[in-house]
């Protein structure tokens, strides 16, 4: 069922008004990770709640309790639950988004004030949250506005779940989703889920995402001396913690990206020919990877191998060393205690619970081989499971039809290297298909906070990106895509 021509025309005719609304939303600095801005996150929740109510959505602001941040006990921002439509003959879709953002200051390297939306002549709408995730949320509002103002029924029933802590670990959300997924809850009867909180692979081709990697984040610590020592006095005299740590971290991954922890890579089945064909079809090249990385440093000249390395296979990355000398100058210190941090991105069937004992046992064994008198310890700081969906499900098929209708292109089918933990929570709690339907482009410079938590500064990908933008064409055509998706969802048979 194509979207009504009147809807598409309405979106075009109201583009300036929609951009102004986006400007109003960007102007609220809803930074969830900064206690100073907690009231702004609540302000953003109230603003969004009012917008939803104005278009006939029944809502409830849910108190998620308190939490500790930077030594302060703070109230968590409320989550917004909403519903519109209760027709039992229609499908019911749950839509998720988040209204909080990462910190941003002009001094970080922004060309303009990050909380003033700037519309450039080339179509870029620059401002913090424009693409992640206020723009997509407002895309849904735009569709609601059309139906409300024109007295049109929505083609499906909609449930909403919007939160204000996604960039800081989604605290309290998992319990809420599990509770509301039970009989009589807000999400009871949901047939599928749609999340618009990720991006195209590139700037050219729309995408649908059916998989996300999980994460296991580790900290290995070596200690020995009672205090930092001077290398002129103790060099080649004592077992040095840094030497042991470097030896251990060098045993984790090789220069080709192969994980050296026995049993980790081996958990994953090799790809089938049909699966490889999906990666071959993706509108993305090794050159795109290297342009994004800022250097000709791809691990392979094979596009399929590089993309599977990002999306389909686990990866192990070394992130940093805590306690080591890193300042200017030439300090000749032997650190008394150092900690190395590394993480493994996980893919099915891997889970943190399956991988952790392999890592612990391997590093304990490797440390024993050093015959060091230093002390060794290891801990798992945080983790989350990977997620994968059936991209042939009717939910995805509706999105494919909608994408072809709006963009006149076949969408890329992607699995992302990062993670959105709530995706798996929805999938497991509701037992339904979850679709990631991105609005923004791969160059939006959005935060893409993959795994935030109480240690969000450790686990956030690209958390200080500057000049975040959403292209006007993606905002307007993306709004049409969201609306068309609802109509195609209504029409497609459940199979």
């Amino acid at each position: 069922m194509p979207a009504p021509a009147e809807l598409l025309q309405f979106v075009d005719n109201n583009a300036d008004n929609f951009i102004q609304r986006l400007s109003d939303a960007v102007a609220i600095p809803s930074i969830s990770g900064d206690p100073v801005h907690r009231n702004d996150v609540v302000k953003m929740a109230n603003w969004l709640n009012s917008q939803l109510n104005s278009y006939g959505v029944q809502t409830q602001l849910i108190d998620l309790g308190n939490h500790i941040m930077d030594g302060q006990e703070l109230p968590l921002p409320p989550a917004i639950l909403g519903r519109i439509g209760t027709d039992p003959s229609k499908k019911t879709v749950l839509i998720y988004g988040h209204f909080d953002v990462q910190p941003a200051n002009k001094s970080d390297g922004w060309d303009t004030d990050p909380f003033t939306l700037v519309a450039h002549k080339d179509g870029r709408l620059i401002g913090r949250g424009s693409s992640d995730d206020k723009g997509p949320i407002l895309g849904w509002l735009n569709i609601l506005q059309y139906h409300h103002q024109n007295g049109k029924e929505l083609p499906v029933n909609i449930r909403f779940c919007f939160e204000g802590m996604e960039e800081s670990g989604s605290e309290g959300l998992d319990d809420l989703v599990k509770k509301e997924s039970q009989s009589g809850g807000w999400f009871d009867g949901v047939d599928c889920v749609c999340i618009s909180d990720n991006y195209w692979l590139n700037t050219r081709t729309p995408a649908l995402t059916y998989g996300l990697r999980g994460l296991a984040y580790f900290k290995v610590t070596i200690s020995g001396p009672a205090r930092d020592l001077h290398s002129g006095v103790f060099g080649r005299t004592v077992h040095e913690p840094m030497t042991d740590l470097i030896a251990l971290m060098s045993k984790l991954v090789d220069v080709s990206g192969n994980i050296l922890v026995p049993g980790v890579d081996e958990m994953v089945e090799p790809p089938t020919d049909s699966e490889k064909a999906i990666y071959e079809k993706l509108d993305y090249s090794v050159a795109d990877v290297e342009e994004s990385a800022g250097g000709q440093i791809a691990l392979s000249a094979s596009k399929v191998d590089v993309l599977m390395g990002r999306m389909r296979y686990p990866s192990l990355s070394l992130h940093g060393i805590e306690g080591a000398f890193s300042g200017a100058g030439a300090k000749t210190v032997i650190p008394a205690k150092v900690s190395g941090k590394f993480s493994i991105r996980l893919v099915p069937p891997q889970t943190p619970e399956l991988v952790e004992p392999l890592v612990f046992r391997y590093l304990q064994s490797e440390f024993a081989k050093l015959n060091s008198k230093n002390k060794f310890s290891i801990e798992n700081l945080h983790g989350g499971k990977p997620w994968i969906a059936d991209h042939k499900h009717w939910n995805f098929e509706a999105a494919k039809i909608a994408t072809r209708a709006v963009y006149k292109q076949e969408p890329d089918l992607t699995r992302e290297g990062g993670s959105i933990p709530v995706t798996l929570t929805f999938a497991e709690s509701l037992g339904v298909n979850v679709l990631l339907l991105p609005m923004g482009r791969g160059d939006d410079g959005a935060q893409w906070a993959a795994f935030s938590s109480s240690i969000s500064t450790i686990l956030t990908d690209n958390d200080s990106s500057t000049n975040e933008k959403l292209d006007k064409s993606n905002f307007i055509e993306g709004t049409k895509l969201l609306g068309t998706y609802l109509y195609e969802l209504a029409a497609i048979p459940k199979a």
Side-chain angles (χ1 to χ4, degrees):
M1 181 196 306
E6 294 86 355
L7 185 157
L8 306 181
Q9 190 61 54
F10 178 88
V11 173
D12 285 331
N13 293 345
N14 286 273
D16 289 344
N17 294 331
F18 294 160
I19 292 171
Q20 180 57 54
R21 176 157 55 198
L22 179 58
S23 179
D24 295 342
V26 167
I28 302 173
S30 50
I31 303 168
S32 59
D34 186 346
V36 172
H37 286 284
R38 181 52 50 89
N39 287 338
D40 290 315
V41 186
V42 175
K43 179 180 178 181
M44 185 68 210
N46 290 327
W47 181 91
L48 179 56
N49 189 61
S50 177
Q51 291 281 322
L52 290 165
N53 292 160
S54 72
Y55 299 130
V57 180
Q58 177 191 350
T59 62
Q60 183 178 349
L61 292 171
I62 304 295
D63 182 357
L64 297 177
N66 296 341
H67 74 135
I68 304 297
M69 176 174 283
D70 295 344
Q72 302 179 52
E73 183 173 2
L74 299 170
L76 287 163
I80 304 173
L81 301 183
R83 70 163 62 94
I84 184 167
T86 56
D87 188 338
S89 67
K90 295 179 179 179
K91 296 186 184 76
T92 300
V93 57
L94 170 61
I95 292 166
Y96 164 85
H98 67 92
F99 50 84
D100 64 318
V101 299
Q102 281 281 338
N105 294 289
K106 194 169 187 299
S107 59
D108 295 334
W110 286 72
D111 295 332
T112 56
D113 176 4
F115 295 103
T116 299
L117 190 73
V118 176
H120 281 253
K121 291 181 180 179
D122 61 7
R124 288 177 299 148
L125 305 173
I126 296 179
R128 177 56 97 210
S130 57
S131 184
D132 182 17
D133 187 36
K134 294 180 178 180
I137 285 179
L138 267 57
W140 296 114
L141 286 181
N142 299 340
I143 298 303
L144 291 172
Q145 181 180 341
Y146 162 77
H147 289 85
H148 184 77
Q149 287 187 2
N150 291 280
K152 304 284 188 181
E153 276 194 23
L154 285 156
V156 294
N157 306 315
I158 301 178
R159 302 294 177 263
F160 294 99
C161 179
F162 295 137
E163 66 156 323
M165 284 294 288
E166 194 272 350
E167 304 291 1
S168 298
S170 293
E171 290 195 55
L173 189 68
D174 275 8
D175 289 342
L176 177 67
V177 170
K178 292 172 185 175
K179 175 186 175 184
E180 299 301 337
S181 297
Q182 297 174 3
S183 179
W186 277 82
F187 308 148
D188 187 15
V190 162
D191 295 300
C192 61
V193 178
C194 182
I195 298 174
S196 186
D197 187 24
N198 66 312
Y199 314 93
W200 300 357
L201 271 178
N202 52 39
T203 62
R204 306 176 296 272
T205 309
L208 309 178
T209 300
Y210 66 97
L212 298 167
R213 293 198 291 189
L215 185 78
Y217 201 106
F218 299 96
K219 177 181 178 181
V220 56
T221 299
I222 307 295
S223 60
R227 62 187 183 282
D228 287 353
L229 305 176
H230 191 285
S231 66
V233 177
F234 290 99
R236 204 166 181 172
T237 304
V238 298
H239 288 277
E240 299 187 16
M242 180 71 91
T243 304
D244 291 354
L245 180 64
I246 295 301
L248 291 180
M249 295 188 77
S250 73
K251 301 289 187 179
L252 292 169
V253 61
D254 69 19
V255 294
S256 296
N258 299 304
I259 297 174
L260 303 179
V261 180
V264 174
D265 272 342
E266 291 79 2
M267 285 185 188
V268 183
E269 292 289 331
T272 62
D273 290 341
S274 61
E275 192 176 2
K276 287 182 179 179
I278 293 175
Y279 294 96
E280 186 62 55
K281 291 177 182 177
L282 293 180
D283 183 16
Y284 206 61
S285 66
V286 173
D288 288 323
V289 173
E290 293 183 330
E291 180 181 356
S292 179
Q296 296 181 1
I297 53 176
L299 286 177
S300 170
S302 165
K303 167 182 135 175
V304 171
D305 289 346
V306 170
L307 287 175
M308 287 198 299
R310 167 176 166 173
M311 300 177 185
R312 191 196 181 277
Y313 289 124
S315 63
L316 191 154
S317 298
L318 308 178
H319 302 304
I321 295 177
E322 183 180 300
F325 170 62
S326 60
K331 191 175 180 181
T332 56
V333 66
I334 297 173
K337 178 181 178 181
V338 286
S339 299
K341 295 174 181 177
F342 65 95
S343 71
I344 303 177
R345 293 286 180 174
L346 308 175
V347 299
Q350 296 170 328
T351 65
E353 293 76 17
L354 290 174
V355 167
E356 178 184 300
L358 299 179
V359 173
F360 281 24
R361 186 162 57 246
Y362 174 67
L363 283 181
Q364 287 164 352
S365 172
E366 291 300 314
F367 180 71
K369 293 177 185 177
L370 299 179
N371 293 316
S372 173
K373 295 180 180 178
N374 288 319
K375 295 177 181 179
F376 164 93
S377 67
I378 184 170
E379 56 186 313
N380 187 340
L381 296 182
H382 195 69
K385 296 177 182 178
W387 161 79
I388 191 165
D390 177 11
H391 60 79
K392 296 181 180 179
H393 187 275
W394 51 262
N395 190 22
F396 275 82
E397 292 302 321
K400 293 172 191 175
I401 296 169
T403 303
R404 295 184 201 114
V406 173
Y407 285 103
K408 316 302 180 188
Q409 289 179 269
E410 194 70 27
D412 279 338
L413 290 173
T414 68
R415 290 169 62 171
E416 273 296 346
S419 313
I420 306 174
V422 74
T423 306
L424 184 66
T425 305
F426 282 128
E428 292 185 337
S429 299
L430 290 164
V432 301
N433 182 271
V434 181
L435 160 75
L436 267 61
L437 182 60
M439 175 181 280
R441 299 181 183 179
D443 67 345
D444 280 357
Q447 300 104 279
W448 187 231
F451 250 102
S452 306
S453 72
S454 59
I455 50 171
S456 59
T457 54
I458 297 174
L459 302 177
T460 300
D461 292 339
N462 200 22
D463 63 355
S464 59
S465 55
T466 58
N467 298 318
E468 177 186 344
K469 60 86 178 172
L470 176 65
D471 289 273
K472 177 181 177 180
S473 61
N474 282 66
F475 186 38
I476 300 308
E477 297 306 304
T479 292
K480 294 177 186 177
L481 174 63
L482 299 182
T484 302
Y485 159 72
L486 296 180
Y487 278 87
E488 296 299 345
L489 195 64
I492 199 164
K494 292 182 180 179

